Amino acid sequence: VQSFDPDVIISQHELALVGARIHASTETPHVVFIRDFEQCGFVVDTGRSSAGKLIEYATWPVTKPIVEYIFSNSTEAVANSDYIASVYSEYWDIDPHVIYPFVETSNYEVSITGDAILHVNPSRRKGIQITLDVADQLRGQDFLIVGNEGSAQIQKRIESLPNVSFRGYVEDMRDIYRQCKLVLMPSQWPEPYGRVPIEAGINGIPTICSNSGGLPESVGIQDCVVDSSNPSDYITRIQHILDNYGEFSRMAKRNAKTSNADSGLSSFDALLDPILDSL
């Protein structure tokens, strides 16, 4: 670092401490990205296992002063959603800038889309049980599940439904978006944000989500947000969107275009400009 002599340091996660230490010793401007709950002391409320909760409680007396040190030695903090910004503002009394994740939408564009409804990550906190209940009641509709394998119970339920296919982990999501017309994200935990609605949206594929954390921000369409865990409410919303698919497809694409990497990087440049001008 001494040899390179940076004009600004940008950090996130564990390396935020490194950025803070450099700032403290050199006064080099330090911008820290906040992308999750790990620096907030209540990750215990976001769906961790019992062991994870115990570890969080046990280590917080050590972690808390480290996080205080990071924020006191940061020039600016950047949150990945209004939701995460509000959480950190309340918990740490800071005022993060909000810049959505830099999703390079061109990496997810496809020329054709299909007829399946997509669910990403078959875990309980991602609401897989709601999606499978919906699929059970919509036997004439194909559903596609991708992501690492869920529990044995979840996998057994997936296999029992003839209209549900499981693809496992997928490297190139374009292969999946070519097969889909709708995304279902009934998450049961406060998602910091959500990249999938932007990836799918650039192809005109709408996402229906729960009113959870930063998900409504990434979906960007109020009529696509379900304030319930009742599968029947999701079915009603699916039917409404499919009945007006052209309109919702256009809105999803417009939202993705305004929330992509170019937009985020432009906002980040605007944040950096006054910092660099002051050097």
Side-chain angles (χ1 to χ4, degrees):
V1 171
Q2 289 176 343
S3 174
F4 185 70
D5 189 23
D7 294 316
V8 63
I9 301 159
I10 303 165
S11 72
Q12 64 181 0
H13 302 310
E14 293 86 353
L15 291 177
L17 177 58
V18 178
R21 290 186 64 183
I22 296 171
H23 172 85
S25 62
T26 67
E27 297 188 359
T28 303
H30 174 218
V31 179
V32 60
F33 274 80
I34 306 166
R35 301 188 181 278
D36 50 37
F37 302 96
E38 297 291 343
Q39 296 167 322
C40 242
F42 63 93
V43 71
V44 293
D45 296 325
T46 62
R48 267 197 171 180
S49 66
S50 297
K53 293 177 183 180
L54 288 173
I55 292 170
E56 174 67 20
Y57 279 128
T59 59
W60 187 242
V62 175
T63 305
K64 184 176 181 179
I66 293 175
V67 178
E68 289 174 337
Y69 177 83
I70 289 170
F71 288 136
S72 65
N73 285 284
S74 298
T75 310
E76 298 286 356
V78 177
N80 60 348
S81 68
D82 286 321
Y83 170 70
I84 287 293
S86 68
V87 168
Y88 276 78
S89 177
E90 179 179 352
Y91 198 86
W92 288 109
D93 194 28
I94 62 174
D95 187 21
H97 296 265
V98 176
I99 299 177
Y100 293 143
F102 306 135
V103 181
E104 190 58 71
T105 50
S106 61
N107 292 335
Y108 303 96
E109 286 187 275
V110 297
S111 57
I112 58 169
T113 55
D115 293 316
I117 294 178
L118 172 66
H119 180 107
V120 178
N121 195 341
S123 68
R124 291 195 176 278
R125 72 175 189 169
K126 293 288 188 178
I128 184 61
Q129 69 276 18
I130 297 174
T131 294
L132 295 180
D133 285 345
V134 169
D136 196 14
Q137 296 179 53
L138 296 179
R139 291 295 183 103
Q141 171 64 58
D142 290 331
F143 287 76
L144 184 58
I145 313 294
V146 302
N148 295 325
E149 261 192 26
S151 68
Q153 184 181 15
I154 290 171
Q155 289 302 126
K156 184 177 181 181
R157 179 106 193 272
I158 290 173
E159 292 167 6
S160 73
L161 294 169
N163 58 328
V164 178
S165 299
F166 176 65
R167 284 283 302 275
Y169 175 76
V170 176
E171 183 69 34
D172 189 346
M173 283 296 290
R174 288 176 295 186
D175 294 338
I176 300 301
Y177 295 135
R178 290 187 186 99
Q179 302 175 54
C180 300
K181 64 182 175 185
L182 199 61
V183 176
L184 207 54
M185 295 188 73
S187 290
Q188 299 299 290
W189 76 294
E191 301 266 4
Y193 187 65
R195 291 175 56 96
V196 170
I198 308 302
E199 297 174 9
I202 200 63
N203 298 300
I205 301 172
T207 296
I208 299 174
C209 74
S210 61
N211 190 10
S212 175
L215 266 184
E217 292 178 61
S218 63
V219 169
I221 306 168
Q222 187 57 45
D223 278 356
C224 289
V225 180
V226 180
D227 196 13
S228 163
S229 296
N230 190 329
S232 296
D233 292 331
Y234 281 90
I235 291 172
T236 299
R237 200 61 54 92
I238 288 170
Q239 291 171 338
H240 173 63
I241 289 172
L242 293 182
D243 287 344
N244 302 275
Y245 191 77
E247 177 186 355
F248 281 100
S249 178
R250 286 189 292 273
M251 286 193 289
K253 194 160 193 171
R254 184 163 60 246
N255 175 65
K257 285 182 176 179
T258 58
S259 304
N260 64 6
D262 287 343
S263 174
L265 288 169
S266 177
S267 298
F268 191 43
D269 282 345
L271 173 65
L272 289 178
D273 280 345
I275 296 174
L276 297 175
D277 288 344
S278 67
L279 297 177

